[in-house]
Amino acid sequence: MSSVVVVGTQWGDEGKGKITNALCSDADLVVRFQGGANAGHTVSLDGVPIVFHLLPSGISVPGIQNIIGPGVVIDPIALAAEITGVTERGVEVGENFLIDVGAHMVLPYHKAIEAAEERARGDSAIGTTHRGIGPAYADRCARDGIPIGALAAFDEFRRRFEETVGRKNEHLVRLYGEEPLDARALLEQLRPVALSLAGYLADTPEILRAAIREDRNVLFEGAQGTLLDVTFGTYPFVTSSSTTAGGVATGTGVPPSLIGEVIGITKAYTTRVGAGPFPTEVTDDTARMIQERGAERGATTGRARRCGWLDIVALRYSIAVNGIKRIIVTKLDVLDSFETIKVCVAYEIDGSRTDRFPRTADELRRVHPVYVEIPGWMSSTAEARQESELPPPALAYLKQICKLADVDICSVSVGAKGEAIVEFTSIF
Ligand code: GDP
């Protein structure tokens, strides 16, 4: 089987961009299956970081077919700007890029409604990225969305858009007291965008199924993380799509029987952006050290990330939900200067110990982490390229993770640059 799914096992920002980019050298196709421009995958291009929000991470690697599947929601204005931006950095975006006609659009009214809703929630705000992702998925479910394929017939699109903006304005003005949107001005903005994206529109599911049948290597690139999945995450503090491996089938049209291995990306510690329960969060100097060494700021929002220790209960849950057998551990180097490292091995709730990950945010908020402390290695792992070059306590930490989570590790990332990786077993 030649198809591999890469998913984050935590709350996103596990370093999936770098890993996907590294795996690209063996891939023939790279596919986004969910999320939207709320994702932010940072990869290093000629030593300089570049963030992809909607474009698949394989776009900077020559010879790869990159696809945005129908499970993604696309802000056409943001995508056109992203294409211009990466093109200016010398990345070619041409026949190597396809957008499925069925992917729904995030339109300006989605962003306006999301901002108004978050304001209205006040202290109970979800902490969304304000990219209009949630309202776009909501419209898709409510059968009020517009697939991107509609841009190909602009006059018909204009009619639908004007009619929809009329209704959304009612919502914005009457419910939230906001200013109405100007449909005409927005259409002026969308017309050149529609033209620039038209050449990329395609019917992609059969292309993908055929590629897998022909044994070409297909990499499905997850965005966000398992604990942000709309069904299996810490609802309501989640994203609006299926971030887990199951989302590949519904987000690309590739049936489960054609999906091969699922690889989990696990940061050596945990971070979370936005609101919501986070059992292993720390707020002292440890958090500041992790934040600084790991440059833990949102790639999309610039927000400082909340930081904490690795949570094995959550990891085991992610492994179970996704069917993960192997993980890639990232950012091990961020823990280089800790004397001791904590790992959460169980939770305590109402005085009882459990290794079950709660299914509600309220219950998760009530758990207390049970930690084991293990010795740190107090030396740099950044130059390690082989297992034997890792300090023994770092290897012991990795082995401990494998044992506690009942999973194998296929490689470990020890720095932001592409070559900063220690490979144990190959993926394809
Ligand atoms: P993603 O959304 O899962 O791809 O995560 P991010 O885009 O937030 O990537 C995490 C950040 O960490 C980026 O700035 C990467 O360049 C960086 N990064 C990735 N792997 C490593 C690593 O092993 N060590 C360090 N120090 N930084 C890394």
Side-chain angles (χ1 to χ4, degrees), residues 13-18 40-42 299 305 330-331 333-334 413-416:
D13 310 314
E14 295 93 350
K16 295 177 299 294
K18 171 190 161 170
H41 287 177
T42 313
R305 293 174 182 150
T330 59
K331 301 190 109 168
D333 55 301
V334 174
S413 174
V414 290

PDB file of all heavy atoms in Angstrom, residues 13-18 40-42 299 305 330-331 333-334 413-416, ligand 1:
ATOM      1  N   ASP A  13       0.027  22.009  15.580  1.00  0.00           N
ATOM      2  CA  ASP A  13       1.352  22.622  15.722  1.00  0.00           C
ATOM      3  C   ASP A  13       2.411  21.622  16.163  1.00  0.00           C
ATOM      4  O   ASP A  13       3.358  21.967  16.865  1.00  0.00           O
ATOM      5  CB  ASP A  13       1.313  23.798  16.723  1.00  0.00           C
ATOM      6  CG  ASP A  13       0.199  24.761  16.411  1.00  0.00           C
ATOM      7  OD1 ASP A  13       0.060  25.117  15.228  1.00  0.00           O
ATOM      8  OD2 ASP A  13      -0.536  25.147  17.333  1.00  0.00           O
ATOM      9  N   GLU A  14       2.259  20.377  15.748  1.00  0.00           N
ATOM     10  CA  GLU A  14       3.217  19.342  16.148  1.00  0.00           C
ATOM     11  C   GLU A  14       4.464  19.375  15.270  1.00  0.00           C
ATOM     12  O   GLU A  14       5.412  18.632  15.517  1.00  0.00           O
ATOM     13  CB  GLU A  14       2.574  17.948  16.051  1.00  0.00           C
ATOM     14  CG  GLU A  14       1.408  17.699  17.012  1.00  0.00           C
ATOM     15  CD  GLU A  14       0.070  18.024  16.369  1.00  0.00           C
ATOM     16  OE1 GLU A  14       0.058  18.618  15.267  1.00  0.00           O
ATOM     17  OE2 GLU A  14      -0.968  17.686  16.971  1.00  0.00           O
ATOM     18  N   GLY A  15       4.445  20.221  14.230  1.00  0.00           N
ATOM     19  CA  GLY A  15       5.577  20.237  13.295  1.00  0.00           C
ATOM     20  C   GLY A  15       5.281  19.368  12.080  1.00  0.00           C
ATOM     21  O   GLY A  15       6.200  18.845  11.434  1.00  0.00           O
ATOM     22  N   LYS A  16       3.991  19.222  11.766  1.00  0.00           N
ATOM     23  CA  LYS A  16       3.607  18.368  10.626  1.00  0.00           C
ATOM     24  C   LYS A  16       4.165  18.896   9.315  1.00  0.00           C
ATOM     25  O   LYS A  16       4.508  18.130   8.430  1.00  0.00           O
ATOM     26  CB  LYS A  16       2.074  18.289  10.512  1.00  0.00           C
ATOM     27  CG  LYS A  16       1.403  17.606  11.682  1.00  0.00           C
ATOM     28  CD  LYS A  16      -0.105  17.620  11.547  1.00  0.00           C
ATOM     29  CE  LYS A  16      -0.693  19.000  11.512  1.00  0.00           C
ATOM     30  NZ  LYS A  16      -0.551  19.765  12.757  1.00  0.00           N
ATOM     31  N   GLY A  17       4.257  20.241   9.209  1.00  0.00           N
ATOM     32  CA  GLY A  17       4.734  20.845   7.958  1.00  0.00           C
ATOM     33  C   GLY A  17       6.125  20.365   7.612  1.00  0.00           C
ATOM     34  O   GLY A  17       6.388  19.900   6.502  1.00  0.00           O
ATOM     35  N   LYS A  18       7.018  20.421   8.586  1.00  0.00           N
ATOM     36  CA  LYS A  18       8.401  20.001   8.339  1.00  0.00           C
ATOM     37  C   LYS A  18       8.453  18.508   7.975  1.00  0.00           C
ATOM     38  O   LYS A  18       9.155  18.109   7.050  1.00  0.00           O
ATOM     39  CB  LYS A  18       9.255  20.244   9.592  1.00  0.00           C
ATOM     40  CG  LYS A  18      10.615  19.624   9.420  1.00  0.00           C
ATOM     41  CD  LYS A  18      11.474  19.579  10.649  1.00  0.00           C
ATOM     42  CE  LYS A  18      12.541  18.519  10.388  1.00  0.00           C
ATOM     43  NZ  LYS A  18      13.591  18.482  11.369  1.00  0.00           N
ATOM     44  N   GLY A  40      -1.340  26.275   9.476  1.00  0.00           N
ATOM     45  CA  GLY A  40      -0.144  27.033   9.170  1.00  0.00           C
ATOM     46  C   GLY A  40       1.037  26.104   9.261  1.00  0.00           C
ATOM     47  O   GLY A  40       1.527  25.821  10.335  1.00  0.00           O
ATOM     48  N   HIS A  41       1.442  25.555   8.126  1.00  0.00           N
ATOM     49  CA  HIS A  41       2.553  24.610   8.135  1.00  0.00           C
ATOM     50  C   HIS A  41       3.843  25.318   7.745  1.00  0.00           C
ATOM     51  O   HIS A  41       3.972  25.809   6.634  1.00  0.00           O
ATOM     52  CB  HIS A  41       2.275  23.444   7.188  1.00  0.00           C
ATOM     53  CG  HIS A  41       1.252  22.510   7.731  1.00  0.00           C
ATOM     54  ND1 HIS A  41       0.784  21.420   7.054  1.00  0.00           N
ATOM     55  CD2 HIS A  41       0.616  22.517   8.905  1.00  0.00           C
ATOM     56  CE1 HIS A  41      -0.114  20.811   7.799  1.00  0.00           C
ATOM     57  NE2 HIS A  41      -0.232  21.457   8.918  1.00  0.00           N
ATOM     58  N   THR A  42       4.770  25.340   8.698  1.00  0.00           N
ATOM     59  CA  THR A  42       6.017  26.038   8.453  1.00  0.00           C
ATOM     60  C   THR A  42       7.030  25.053   7.891  1.00  0.00           C
ATOM     61  O   THR A  42       7.290  24.018   8.502  1.00  0.00           O
ATOM     62  CB  THR A  42       6.565  26.614   9.775  1.00  0.00           C
ATOM     63  OG1 THR A  42       5.494  27.257  10.446  1.00  0.00           O
ATOM     64  CG2 THR A  42       7.700  27.580   9.530  1.00  0.00           C
ATOM     65  N   ALA A 299       1.612  29.899  13.943  1.00  0.00           N
ATOM     66  CA  ALA A 299       2.071  30.238  12.583  1.00  0.00           C
ATOM     67  C   ALA A 299       1.014  31.055  11.842  1.00  0.00           C
ATOM     68  O   ALA A 299       1.321  31.827  10.950  1.00  0.00           O
ATOM     69  CB  ALA A 299       2.396  28.959  11.817  1.00  0.00           C
ATOM     70  N   ARG A 305       1.650  30.247  22.310  1.00  0.00           N
ATOM     71  CA  ARG A 305       0.964  28.991  22.599  1.00  0.00           C
ATOM     72  C   ARG A 305       1.094  28.637  24.071  1.00  0.00           C
ATOM     73  O   ARG A 305       2.122  28.893  24.683  1.00  0.00           O
ATOM     74  CB  ARG A 305       1.578  27.861  21.766  1.00  0.00           C
ATOM     75  CG  ARG A 305       1.314  28.052  20.291  1.00  0.00           C
ATOM     76  CD  ARG A 305       2.047  27.006  19.464  1.00  0.00           C
ATOM     77  NE  ARG A 305       1.820  27.244  18.047  1.00  0.00           N
ATOM     78  CZ  ARG A 305       2.677  26.939  17.095  1.00  0.00           C
ATOM     79  NH1 ARG A 305       3.823  26.366  17.382  1.00  0.00           N
ATOM     80  NH2 ARG A 305       2.390  27.188  15.838  1.00  0.00           N
ATOM     81  N   THR A 330       8.654  15.108  17.355  1.00  0.00           N
ATOM     82  CA  THR A 330       9.289  16.347  16.893  1.00  0.00           C
ATOM     83  C   THR A 330       9.736  17.204  18.070  1.00  0.00           C
ATOM     84  O   THR A 330       9.286  17.021  19.200  1.00  0.00           O
ATOM     85  CB  THR A 330       8.307  17.184  16.049  1.00  0.00           C
ATOM     86  OG1 THR A 330       7.175  17.485  16.854  1.00  0.00           O
ATOM     87  CG2 THR A 330       7.861  16.458  14.795  1.00  0.00           C
ATOM     88  N   LYS A 331      10.632  18.117  17.756  1.00  0.00           N
ATOM     89  CA  LYS A 331      11.080  19.149  18.705  1.00  0.00           C
ATOM     90  C   LYS A 331      11.719  18.579  19.969  1.00  0.00           C
ATOM     91  O   LYS A 331      11.620  19.177  21.053  1.00  0.00           O
ATOM     92  CB  LYS A 331       9.933  20.106  19.027  1.00  0.00           C
ATOM     93  CG  LYS A 331       9.419  20.798  17.750  1.00  0.00           C
ATOM     94  CD  LYS A 331       8.465  21.903  18.023  1.00  0.00           C
ATOM     95  CE  LYS A 331       9.057  23.254  17.736  1.00  0.00           C
ATOM     96  NZ  LYS A 331       8.083  24.355  17.730  1.00  0.00           N
ATOM     97  N   ASP A 333      14.747  18.557  20.581  1.00  0.00           N
ATOM     98  CA  ASP A 333      15.819  19.493  20.965  1.00  0.00           C
ATOM     99  C   ASP A 333      15.330  20.577  21.927  1.00  0.00           C
ATOM    100  O   ASP A 333      16.125  21.117  22.698  1.00  0.00           O
ATOM    101  CB  ASP A 333      16.390  20.166  19.702  1.00  0.00           C
ATOM    102  CG  ASP A 333      15.304  20.839  18.872  1.00  0.00           C
ATOM    103  OD1 ASP A 333      14.374  20.130  18.444  1.00  0.00           O
ATOM    104  OD2 ASP A 333      15.372  22.066  18.666  1.00  0.00           O
ATOM    105  N   VAL A 334      14.036  20.852  21.921  1.00  0.00           N
ATOM    106  CA  VAL A 334      13.502  21.903  22.800  1.00  0.00           C
ATOM    107  C   VAL A 334      13.652  21.498  24.275  1.00  0.00           C
ATOM    108  O   VAL A 334      13.736  22.336  25.162  1.00  0.00           O
ATOM    109  CB  VAL A 334      12.021  22.201  22.427  1.00  0.00           C
ATOM    110  CG1 VAL A 334      11.373  23.171  23.396  1.00  0.00           C
ATOM    111  CG2 VAL A 334      11.958  22.745  20.998  1.00  0.00           C
ATOM    112  N   SER A 413      12.611  14.401  15.208  1.00  0.00           N
ATOM    113  CA  SER A 413      13.076  15.674  14.659  1.00  0.00           C
ATOM    114  C   SER A 413      13.785  16.449  15.763  1.00  0.00           C
ATOM    115  O   SER A 413      13.285  16.557  16.882  1.00  0.00           O
ATOM    116  CB  SER A 413      11.863  16.449  14.138  1.00  0.00           C
ATOM    117  OG  SER A 413      12.239  17.728  13.737  1.00  0.00           O
ATOM    118  N   VAL A 414      14.951  16.996  15.425  1.00  0.00           N
ATOM    119  CA  VAL A 414      15.771  17.658  16.451  1.00  0.00           C
ATOM    120  C   VAL A 414      16.121  19.100  16.068  1.00  0.00           C
ATOM    121  O   VAL A 414      17.101  19.657  16.545  1.00  0.00           O
ATOM    122  CB  VAL A 414      17.061  16.841  16.737  1.00  0.00           C
ATOM    123  CG1 VAL A 414      16.738  15.545  17.461  1.00  0.00           C
ATOM    124  CG2 VAL A 414      17.835  16.550  15.442  1.00  0.00           C
ATOM    125  N   GLY A 415      15.339  19.680  15.201  1.00  0.00           N
ATOM    126  CA  GLY A 415      15.582  21.070  14.809  1.00  0.00           C
ATOM    127  C   GLY A 415      14.637  21.448  13.687  1.00  0.00           C
ATOM    128  O   GLY A 415      14.019  20.583  13.063  1.00  0.00           O
ATOM    129  N   ALA A 416      14.517  22.759  13.437  1.00  0.00           N
ATOM    130  CA  ALA A 416      13.551  23.223  12.429  1.00  0.00           C
ATOM    131  C   ALA A 416      13.978  22.877  11.001  1.00  0.00           C
ATOM    132  O   ALA A 416      13.146  22.691  10.120  1.00  0.00           O
ATOM    133  CB  ALA A 416      13.357  24.725  12.569  1.00  0.00           C
TER     134      ALA A 416
HETATM  135  P1  GDP B   1       2.486  22.281  12.066  1.00  0.00           P
HETATM  136  O1  GDP B   1       1.288  23.126  11.872  1.00  0.00           O
HETATM  137  O2  GDP B   1       2.170  20.992  12.734  1.00  0.00           O
HETATM  138  O3  GDP B   1       3.336  22.112  10.856  1.00  0.00           O
HETATM  139  O4  GDP B   1       3.371  23.041  13.097  1.00  0.00           O
HETATM  140  P2  GDP B   1       4.084  24.451  12.951  1.00  0.00           P
HETATM  141  O5  GDP B   1       4.025  25.012  11.597  1.00  0.00           O
HETATM  142  O6  GDP B   1       3.647  25.278  14.100  1.00  0.00           O
HETATM  143  O7  GDP B   1       5.593  23.984  13.110  1.00  0.00           O
HETATM  144  C1  GDP B   1       6.187  24.038  14.273  1.00  0.00           C
HETATM  145  C2  GDP B   1       7.350  24.999  14.285  1.00  0.00           C
HETATM  146  O8  GDP B   1       8.448  24.301  14.808  1.00  0.00           O
HETATM  147  C3  GDP B   1       7.834  25.539  12.963  1.00  0.00           C
HETATM  148  O9  GDP B   1       8.376  26.812  13.165  1.00  0.00           O
HETATM  149  C4  GDP B   1       8.929  24.539  12.546  1.00  0.00           C
HETATM  150  O10 GDP B   1       9.926  25.101  11.732  1.00  0.00           O
HETATM  151  C5  GDP B   1       9.509  24.215  13.877  1.00  0.00           C
HETATM  152  N1  GDP B   1      10.021  22.853  14.010  1.00  0.00           N
HETATM  153  C6  GDP B   1       9.553  21.720  13.407  1.00  0.00           C
HETATM  154  N2  GDP B   1      10.244  20.653  13.858  1.00  0.00           N
HETATM  155  C7  GDP B   1      11.141  21.129  14.769  1.00  0.00           C
HETATM  156  C8  GDP B   1      12.106  20.510  15.618  1.00  0.00           C
HETATM  157  O11 GDP B   1      12.282  19.301  15.642  1.00  0.00           O
HETATM  158  N3  GDP B   1      12.815  21.334  16.458  1.00  0.00           N
HETATM  159  C9  GDP B   1      12.634  22.686  16.499  1.00  0.00           C
HETATM  160  N4  GDP B   1      13.376  23.395  17.362  1.00  0.00           N
HETATM  161  N5  GDP B   1      11.733  23.300  15.707  1.00  0.00           N
HETATM  162  C10 GDP B   1      10.996  22.531  14.864  1.00  0.00           C
END
